[in-house]
């Protein structure tokens, strides 16, 4: 499996990253997956054997259980992995056990280290925006955990372009650790990221880690579509009990139908085509794959080998293209006389 540079860190990470949201399945997370220690350890071992050196989790996944299961699964293998986790989510009913305050970050990093059985996190990501905590407080606390040796690099997830740029500006002004990557939703069924965030990532030399690359399973090819409703015969399908992320079902249907002949031509699954399209996008650093079974993992691991032709990429781009929006269409229009010599 190919490796790609993560932002400006100098770290090489596999172009597929193993996501661990399916580990544990406590409470709210049961609809996504409830893998036991044995199943989680087997998935991790198979992912590593398949060339993956990058694993992502979060303290909020099953309220710490995912980190605990992952920590046991990587025991003895930690030194060869790039390990990422996240902070922000509510971990208990306590009023202060949530958010991006200094207090929550300092207690959360120690909890994650303990559960993961490691002395450092390679990539520590804020899991979203905290509307109550000043960004300066969050960034200073993140820089402090880096200086303490508990974290190597920091990153963000689910932030708007202006929030990311504000964070990078503050980090540069104060000499704090800057965000090296963004973890974000990006699929053929939802390319909104291309409007503002992707141009920012290119400008700031930041990596892009893609979550839910199959749009919560809708791009797996296992669903049938009827208007804005979907059905599947697959037992335990995620969308049946957890209809997330929000997707235009009609758009997803058109995308799936466009992928079917491409999948057949390559003797691959529709899911592999969806993943391969992402790996053809120059802004993407790594695509996070989550699996409930070793069969799903094995199919996902085939995606990096699938090389789409120029015509196939054009067909997929056309069926999934974003509608023009201002100011994007005006910027494109006014750029034409600068990009071509007179």
């Amino acid at each position: 499996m190919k490796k790609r540079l993560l932002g400006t860190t100098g770290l090489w990470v596999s172009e597929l990253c193993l996501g661990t949201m399916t580990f544990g399945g406590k409470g709210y997370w049961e609809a996504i997956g409830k893998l036991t220690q044995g199943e989680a350890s087997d998935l991790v071992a198979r992912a590593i054997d398949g060339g993956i050196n990058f694993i992502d989790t979060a303290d909020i996944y099953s309220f710490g259980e995912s980190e605990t299961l992952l920590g046991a699964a990587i025991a003895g293998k930690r030194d060869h992995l790039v390990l990422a986790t996240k902070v922000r989510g509510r971990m208990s009913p306590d009023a202060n056990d949530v958010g991006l305050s200094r207090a929550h970050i300092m207690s959360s990093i120690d909890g994650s280290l303990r559960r993961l059985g490691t002395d450092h996190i390679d990539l520590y990501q804020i899991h979203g925006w905290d509307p109550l905590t000043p960004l300066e407080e969050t960034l200073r606390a993140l820089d402090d955990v880096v200086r303490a040796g508990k974290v190597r690099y920091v990153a963000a997830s689910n932030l708007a372009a202006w929030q990311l740029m504000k964070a990078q500006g503050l980090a540069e002004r104060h000499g704090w650790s800057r965000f090296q990557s963004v973890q974000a939703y990006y699929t053929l069924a939802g390319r909104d990221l291309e409007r503002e965030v992707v141009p920012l990532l290119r400008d700031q030399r930041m990596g892009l880690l893609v979550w839910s690359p199959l749009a919560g399973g809708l791009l797996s090819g296992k669903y049938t579509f009827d208007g804005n409703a979907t059905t599947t015969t697959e037992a335990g399908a995620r969308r049946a009990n957890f209809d997330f992320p929000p997707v235009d079902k009609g758009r997803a249907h058109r995308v799936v139908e466009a992928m079917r002949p491409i999948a057949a031509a390559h003797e691959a699954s529709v899911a592999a085509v969806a993943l391969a399209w992402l790996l053809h996008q120059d802004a993407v650093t790594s695509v996070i794959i989550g699996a409930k079974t070793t069969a799903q993992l094995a199919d996902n691991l085939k995606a990096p080998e699938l090389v789409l032709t120029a015509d196939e990429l054009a067909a997929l781009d056309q069926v999934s293209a974003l509608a023009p929006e201002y100011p994007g269409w005006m910027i494109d229009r006014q750029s034409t006389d600068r990009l071509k010599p007179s």
Side-chain angles (χ1 to χ4, degrees), residues 286-332:
S286 190
V287 176
I288 302 170
I289 55 171
K292 293 182 180 179
T293 67
T294 54
Q296 288 177 341
L297 177 63
D299 183 67
N300 289 344
L301 288 173
K302 296 175 184 176
E305 303 171 7
L306 204 168
V307 179
L308 301 176
T309 68
D311 287 343
E312 290 168 341
L313 287 169
L316 294 177
D317 284 342
Q318 182 176 14
V319 75
S320 64
L322 292 170
E325 279 192 359
Y326 180 84
W329 56 257
M330 192 62 176
I331 293 172
D332 289 341

Side-chain angles (χ1 to χ4, degrees), residues 104-275:
H104 187 60
I105 288 173
M106 292 303 180
S107 63
S108 294
I109 184 61
D110 288 340
S112 288
L113 291 173
R114 182 178 63 254
R115 289 186 291 268
L116 288 164
T118 184
D119 64 355
H120 73 279
I121 303 299
D122 296 298
L123 189 69
Y124 200 44
Q125 305 157 105
I126 61 170
H127 212 161
W129 181 255
D130 182 350
L132 298 183
T133 304
L135 189 53
E136 290 87 345
E137 177 176 334
T138 297
L139 295 175
R140 177 60 189 271
L142 291 174
D143 188 65
D144 284 346
V145 297
V146 171
R147 292 176 185 273
K150 297 179 180 182
V151 166
R152 298 292 188 258
Y153 304 101
V154 295
S157 179
N158 303 318
L159 264 59
W162 73 264
Q163 294 166 337
L164 290 167
M165 196 62 246
K166 181 177 181 179
Q168 298 299 68
L170 286 169
E172 181 176 356
R173 182 189 307 168
H174 295 285
W176 295 333
S177 299
R178 68 191 299 271
F179 289 152
Q180 291 292 342
S181 60
V182 173
Q183 189 173 141
Y185 170 64
Y186 185 35
T187 74
L188 271 167
R191 295 172 58 181
D192 312 67
L193 205 71
E194 295 175 2
R195 297 195 190 281
E196 298 288 343
V197 175
V198 167
L200 180 148
L201 299 181
R202 292 192 179 109
D203 178 74
Q204 293 296 303
R205 298 176 63 198
M206 297 171 68
L208 172 57
L209 314 179
V210 177
W211 63 259
S212 200
L214 300 181
L218 282 183
L219 302 187
S220 65
K222 299 174 183 177
Y223 287 83
T224 56
F225 296 79
D226 182 12
N228 210 37
T230 58
T231 57
T232 181
T233 58
E234 184 182 75
R238 172 176 159 182
R239 279 274 178 179
N241 301 307
F242 189 69
D243 194 19
F244 182 86
V247 175
D248 180 333
K249 304 296 198 307
R251 177 191 180 94
H253 181 212
R254 293 189 295 273
V255 167
V256 169
E257 291 308 302
M259 288 194 292
R260 291 193 191 280
I262 296 174
H266 288 272
E267 298 183 344
S269 68
V270 170
V273 173
L275 296 175

Side-chain angles (χ1 to χ4, degrees), residues 6 13 17-20 53-59 61 66-67 70 74 78 81-87 112 116 118 120-125 151 153 155 181 183 209 288:
L6 177 64
V13 296
C17 171
L18 180 65
T20 63
N53 77 337
F54 192 18
I55 303 180
D56 176 76
T57 187
D59 59 2
Y61 296 165
S66 174
E67 287 185 328
L70 176 58
I74 63 174
R78 169 67 182 97
L81 299 172
V82 178
L83 186 59
T85 192
K86 311 180 199 74
V87 59
S112 288
L116 288 164
T118 184
H120 73 279
I121 303 299
D122 296 298
L123 189 69
Y124 200 44
Q125 305 157 105
V151 166
Y153 304 101
S181 60
Q183 189 173 141
L209 314 179
I288 302 170

